[in-house]
Amino acid sequence: MLPLAGVFLCAFVGWILPKLQVYAMCEGYLHTIAFEIWYFVIRFIAPLGILAAMIQSAIKDM
């Protein structure tokens, strides 16, 4: 259940919240280039990695 929540969180932050609002929340922590990299990872790489871990765990439990 926890990995599924991670996928939904990545989808919400990466695709539903406006990018400027997410940047405003991270403004004191990430510079512009670091934010762009982080935002790309949240949108594309992290959900795939989490889903791959879920699938691998499901296959291992069979």
Side-chain angles (χ1 to χ4, degrees):
M1 292 294 288
L2 191 57
L4 192 58
V7 170
F8 286 132
L9 182 65
C10 288
F12 182 73
V13 172
W15 296 97
I16 296 173
L17 284 178
K19 187 176 183 178
L20 291 176
Q21 185 177 359
V22 176
Y23 182 73
M25 288 187 277
C26 298
E27 194 171 358
Y29 303 103
L30 297 173
H31 296 288
T32 304
I33 191 71
F35 173 77
E36 292 296 329
I37 294 168
W38 176 83
Y39 194 71
F40 176 80
V41 169
I42 287 293
R43 288 186 84 173
F44 299 107
I45 298 173
L48 292 177
I50 295 168
L51 289 173
M54 287 174 56
I55 292 169
Q56 187 270 337
S57 177
I59 290 172
K60 188 174 83 170
D61 290 341
M62 292 176 96

